[in-house]
Amino acid sequence: MKTIPRSAPLALIFATALLAACSSSPMSRIDTNRAIYESWPLDVQEAVLNSEARKGMTREQVEMALGKPTQVVTRSSSDEVWVYRKGGGVTPLLANTGLSVGAGIGGVSLGTSSRGARSSSAPEEREVVFVNGVVTRSD
């Protein structure tokens, strides 16, 4: 009978987390759109690599740098704000669920909790303002 090493579940969890983190990185977006990225000026390429939105960048360039916004607010026909949020608590769907994963002597365990999880940190928010499709301000 073949046995699975105790570290296998932990390695699987780590690999999954690593792949999930990479899927939304600027490098993965650049790799998907390499020809477009290479056609941009070097200062724009640098901003995209550094996950920055700079004045003068287009929507396409900002999306490659930062990903899709959490929210788009249209102020007028030529003025819109892209809002990026991360952190700041648990979504209502997960408010009463606790998930724990452990490896070692106890193996892997999953469970739920009626207490739920709470986050004390405020959400991080970033805004990118476009006028006529070009960045005019970025937080």
Side-chain angles (χ1 to χ4, degrees):
M1 179 178 218
K2 195 173 190 179
T3 60
I4 298 174
R6 293 179 204 240
S7 61
L10 185 58
L12 179 61
I13 292 165
F14 179 74
T16 302
L18 185 62
L19 287 173
C22 292
S23 67
S24 63
S25 72
M27 278 309 298
S28 66
R29 292 187 293 268
I30 289 168
D31 288 341
T32 303
N33 302 289
R34 175 70 59 185
I36 294 168
Y37 170 79
E38 289 178 352
S39 71
W40 295 334
L42 288 177
D43 62 325
V44 172
Q45 291 180 18
E46 177 187 20
V48 170
L49 274 172
N50 293 323
S51 299
E52 297 174 358
R54 296 182 186 166
K55 285 183 180 180
M57 290 175 69
T58 65
R59 289 180 181 98
E60 182 180 39
Q61 293 165 341
V62 172
E63 188 170 331
M64 193 176 294
L66 303 176
K68 293 198 180 290
T70 308
Q71 180 182 11
V72 176
V73 179
T74 304
R75 295 187 193 170
S76 68
S77 61
S78 63
D79 190 9
E80 75 182 18
V81 179
W82 287 13
V83 180
Y84 292 87
R85 289 188 191 96
K86 63 180 173 180
V90 178
T91 62
L93 178 64
L94 299 177
N96 291 324
T97 304
L99 175 66
S100 63
V101 180
I105 295 174
V108 174
S109 65
L110 299 172
T112 60
S113 168
S114 60
R115 297 165 112 192
R118 298 277 185 241
S119 174
S120 60
S121 64
E124 182 182 326
E125 188 169 292
R126 176 184 208 171
E127 290 185 351
V128 180
V129 179
F130 293 90
V131 175
N132 294 322
V134 177
V135 175
T136 57
R137 180 178 62 85
S138 175
D139 296 344

